[in-house]
């Protein structure tokens, strides 16, 4: 119990330390607290949320397309079982898992079995979970904590009273405790789970669990301050001080003989007719040079560079082919590719746990090490070029591998089998058969 309490204390420490990352993702940046306001002047605050923009692009480029599972021995049974059990939830779950990882520096996956005995996964983050790992190279999970509020149990209670619980996962069971005022209370329930080990794992893109915003936080803050100052300088021009020399616009304020009509013309119509040739009137304004806009643009370029992004709006190109667009996204593709190995490790661990559960449920055993994980980046491709290359690719790669190169194909083996069936139904097979099937396949000739 002492170990659980220490882990829960660390969870609360992590919540306090990492809450800033959630704030920066949703747009609550430091400028709202730190901006130097000036009394009687414009104090608008502008925020450009680069962090959310970049994170969503990373997730989109890597995980918009479903992950493909390809068996090394072309065992269709295995891939069909994975597709049947994962296809309804995996794509959105993977996206949320990576999103949390980029926001906080690490994220966690909790596997469970629902009331229909179906395998499922839940994405967690440092604000609601803590995982204790051992000191080995494999970083095996020894204990997992999930801190949450139960909306159903809170129905009928005062709005200020929300029931909170802590689920503690061990190798064999899950223990639920009541939590009051951030203190672990009495045990609510204890039950066996369906797995042979702690059903939690960590997605971490680097050993230091560095959040994505840390790559450009200072530039992000400087950009927010600069565009806010720029906006307020523009606003202050509307409230500029009117300087007059040798005249006054107020009626008879200095014995000038100004009438009420004269005053109304100035205030309502914005013009003045001065009879004194030595008089003058002008607004006192600050000259905003180009250095301000140049500084803002430079900061923006620094932010995009640190994130390996390009500004599509600022850098248009006349060549809009898929290959040209992909070349411009090369730095982004390189950075996203580095994320793949970390995610692939998590997916393999998920498969191992799922196959263990499937063996327990059916008695059929599969080896997760024989399943390859294939990502299809959501980066523009020239479909025509890829299609024309198929005859040459067939000399090197299996047909299912070639099909996996098309972004809209989430199950290459299934598409291949469907194509075979169509060929069998064709009375006159297509003579321009790019996938290399015999012309008399399925034709009965």
């Amino acid at each position: 119990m002492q170990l659980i309490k220490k882990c829960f204390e660390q969870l609360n420490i992590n919540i306090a330390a990492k809450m800033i990352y959630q704030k920066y993702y949703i747009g609550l940046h430091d400028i709202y607290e730190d901006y130097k306001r000036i009394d009687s002047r414009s104090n608008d605050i502008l925020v450009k949320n680069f962090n959310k923009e970049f994170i969503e692009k990373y997730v989109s480029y890597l995980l918009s397309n479903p992950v493909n599972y390809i068996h090394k021995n072309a065992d269709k049974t295995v891939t069909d079982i994975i597709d049947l059990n994962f296809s309804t939830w995996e794509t959105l779950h993977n996206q949320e898992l990576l999103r949390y990882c980029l926001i906080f520096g690490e994220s966690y996956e909790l596997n469970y079995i629902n009331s229909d005995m179906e395998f499922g996964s839940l994405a967690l983050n440092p604000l609601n979970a803590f995982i204790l790992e051992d000191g080995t190279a494999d970083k095996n999970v020894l204990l997992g904590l999930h801190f949450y509020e139960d909306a159903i149990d809170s129905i009928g209670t005062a709005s200020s009273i929300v029931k909170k619980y802590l689920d503690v996962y061990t190798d064999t069971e899950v223990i639920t405790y009541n939590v009051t005022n951030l203190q672990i209370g009495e045990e609510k329930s204890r039950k066996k789970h369906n797995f042979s080990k702690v059903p939690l794992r960590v997605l971490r893109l680097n050993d230091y669990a560095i959040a994505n915003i840390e790559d450009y936080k200072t530039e992000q803050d400087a950009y927010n301050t600069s565009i806010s100052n720029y906006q307020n300088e523009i606003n202050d021009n509307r409230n500029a001080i009117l300087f007059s020399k040798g005249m006054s616009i107020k009626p008879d304020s200095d014995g000038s003989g100004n009438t009420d009509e004269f005053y109304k013309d100035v205030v309502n119509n914005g013009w003045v007719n001065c009879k004194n040739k030595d008089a003058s009137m002008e607004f006192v304004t600050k000259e905003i040079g180009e250095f301000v806009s140049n500084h803002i643009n430079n900061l923006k370029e620094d932010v995009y560079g640190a994130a390996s992004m390009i500004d599509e709006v600022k850098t248009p190109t006349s060549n809009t082919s898929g290959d040209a667009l992909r070349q411009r996204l090369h730095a982004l593709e390189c950075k996203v590719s580095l994320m793949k190995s970390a995610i692939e490790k998590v997916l393999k661990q998920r498969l191992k746990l799922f196959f263990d559960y499937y063996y327990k449920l059916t008695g059929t055993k599969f080896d997760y090490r024989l399943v390859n994980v294939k990502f299809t980046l959501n980066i523009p491709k020239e479909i025509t070029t890829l299609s024309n290359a198929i005859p040459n690719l067939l000399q090197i790669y299996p047909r299912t591998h070639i099909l996996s190169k098309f972004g809209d194909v989430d199950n290459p083996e299934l598409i291949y089998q469907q194509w075979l069936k169509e060929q069998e139904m064709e009375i006159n097979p297509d003579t321009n058969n790019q996938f290399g099937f015999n012309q008399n396949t399925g034709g009965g000739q």
Side-chain angles (χ1 to χ4, degrees):
M1 189 62 188
Q2 282 301 114
L3 178 60
I4 294 175
K5 287 183 177 180
K6 287 183 179 180
C7 290
F8 187 60
E9 289 175 2
Q10 186 61 50
L11 170 59
N12 287 304
I13 292 173
N14 293 347
I15 291 174
K18 291 182 177 282
M19 183 64 72
I20 187 174
Y21 297 135
Q22 177 171 283
K23 290 182 177 180
Y24 263 76
Y25 177 75
I26 64 178
L28 298 178
H29 295 191
D30 286 350
I31 189 173
Y32 287 107
E33 299 293 333
D34 301 339
Y35 189 64
K36 297 178 181 179
R37 294 169 172 83
I38 302 176
D39 293 340
S40 73
R41 303 292 295 274
S42 175
N43 290 293
D44 290 348
I45 294 177
L46 302 184
V47 170
K48 169 63 176 176
N49 197 346
F50 291 112
N51 190 41
K52 183 178 180 181
E53 175 189 343
F54 295 160
I55 288 175
E56 293 305 310
K57 283 186 177 181
Y58 293 141
V59 173
S60 174
Y61 285 141
L62 183 56
L63 295 172
S64 283
N65 296 314
V67 174
N68 292 322
Y69 295 95
I70 303 174
H71 197 273
K72 293 181 180 180
N73 297 330
D75 190 340
K76 184 174 178 295
T77 301
V78 177
T79 53
D80 285 348
I81 290 173
I82 295 173
D83 184 64
L84 179 65
N85 288 274
F86 287 10
S87 61
T88 58
W89 55 265
E90 187 187 38
T91 299
L92 286 176
H93 168 74
N94 290 344
Q95 292 171 0
E96 191 72 356
L97 193 65
L98 178 58
R99 184 177 292 111
Y100 281 153
C101 183
L102 291 169
I103 293 173
F104 298 102
E106 62 183 9
S107 60
Y108 318 114
E109 176 176 280
L110 168 63
N111 297 125
Y112 62 90
I113 305 300
N114 64 17
S115 58
D116 295 325
M117 301 303 292
E118 296 173 340
F119 184 90
S121 297
L122 177 66
L124 304 175
N125 61 67
L127 301 187
N128 59 17
F130 176 81
I131 289 182
L132 179 64
E133 299 171 304
D134 65 17
T136 65
D138 292 334
K139 296 184 178 180
N140 299 303
V141 177
L142 303 176
L143 196 70
L145 277 63
H146 177 208
F147 181 46
Y148 62 97
E149 300 174 354
D150 195 313
I152 295 178
D153 284 354
S154 300
I155 293 177
T157 61
S159 58
S160 59
I161 302 175
V162 179
K163 293 189 176 182
K164 300 179 179 181
Y165 302 102
L166 180 70
D167 285 347
V168 179
Y169 290 86
T170 68
D171 283 341
T172 58
E173 60 186 358
V174 52
I175 312 166
T176 301
Y177 294 95
N178 292 306
V179 176
T180 305
N181 297 325
L182 298 181
Q183 297 296 319
I184 299 178
E186 62 182 10
E187 182 180 312
K188 181 185 178 185
S189 65
R190 181 187 293 255
K191 60 183 179 181
K192 298 285 185 181
H193 57 63
N194 295 278
F195 306 105
S196 58
K197 60 197 306 184
V198 180
L200 284 128
R201 63 194 54 84
V202 182
L203 173 60
R204 191 180 292 122
L205 301 183
N206 54 75
D207 290 337
Y208 304 99
I210 298 175
N212 187 66
I213 184 63
E214 294 294 352
D215 288 344
Y216 47 82
K217 183 178 182 299
T218 53
E219 290 88 347
Q220 169 76 81
D221 290 337
Y223 188 87
N224 290 339
T225 300
S226 296
I227 61 175
S228 297
N229 288 341
Y230 200 7
Q231 175 66 24
N232 290 325
E233 290 291 351
I234 294 173
N235 289 344
D236 287 339
N237 271 301
R238 296 185 60 192
N239 303 319
I241 298 172
L242 182 62
F243 171 77
S244 62
K245 179 181 178 181
M247 66 172 297
S248 173
I249 64 172
K250 292 185 177 180
D252 287 325
S253 61
D254 57 357
S256 62
N258 293 340
T259 64
D260 288 337
E261 261 331 289
F262 173 82
Y263 178 73
K264 290 178 180 179
D265 281 338
V266 174
V267 174
N268 297 329
N269 300 326
W271 64 273
V272 58
N273 182 17
C274 180
K275 298 180 180 180
N276 184 354
K277 65 178 181 179
D278 296 324
S280 65
M281 184 176 291
E282 61 183 351
F283 284 102
V284 179
T285 61
K286 185 186 296 184
E287 186 71 25
I288 304 177
E290 290 186 2
F291 77 93
V292 177
S293 58
N294 291 337
H295 174 65
I296 292 174
N297 289 333
N298 290 337
L299 283 173
K300 187 176 182 180
E301 290 179 1
D302 289 343
V303 173
Y304 273 89
S308 299
M309 288 282 181
I310 63 167
D311 186 355
E312 292 95 341
V313 177
K314 182 180 178 181
T315 55
T317 177
S318 58
N319 187 350
T320 58
S321 68
D323 290 339
L325 292 174
R326 184 164 186 171
Q327 183 63 35
R328 296 173 62 218
L329 296 172
H330 177 69
L332 173 60
E333 185 174 357
C334 290
K335 183 164 185 174
V336 169
S337 295
L338 294 175
M339 303 175 187
K340 291 197 298 183
S341 56
I343 299 176
E344 183 176 354
K345 180 181 178 181
V346 169
L347 297 184
K348 287 292 188 72
Q349 292 173 339
R350 181 194 302 166
L351 276 179
K352 181 179 181 181
L353 200 66
F354 169 70
F355 284 158
D356 287 345
Y357 169 70
Y358 193 81
Y359 174 70
K360 180 179 178 182
L361 191 66
T362 67
T364 304
K365 195 168 187 178
F366 298 114
D367 190 344
Y368 77 97
R369 293 170 297 182
L370 295 178
V371 180
N372 286 332
V373 179
K374 173 70 170 57
F375 296 91
T376 304
L377 298 182
N378 186 23
I379 293 179
K381 293 181 178 180
E382 202 64 63
I383 299 298
T384 302
T385 302
L386 182 58
S387 299
N388 293 336
I390 288 176
N392 293 328
L393 295 175
L394 280 169
Q395 307 300 318
I396 307 172
Y397 297 110
R399 293 164 176 79
T400 52
H401 178 81
I402 297 173
L403 284 169
S404 69
K405 295 295 183 180
F406 293 87
D408 58 341
V409 176
D410 58 348
N411 190 332
E413 182 65 37
L414 177 61
I415 297 298
Y416 173 61
Q417 294 299 328
Q418 289 175 344
W419 204 92
L420 277 177
K421 290 180 181 180
E422 289 180 0
Q423 290 299 299
E424 292 173 358
M425 295 172 61
E426 286 286 346
I427 299 176
N428 296 311
D430 183 6
T431 56
N432 185 22
N433 188 343
Q434 296 192 73
F435 280 94
F437 302 117
N438 295 327
Q439 292 187 20
N440 59 359
T441 299
Q445 297 178 5

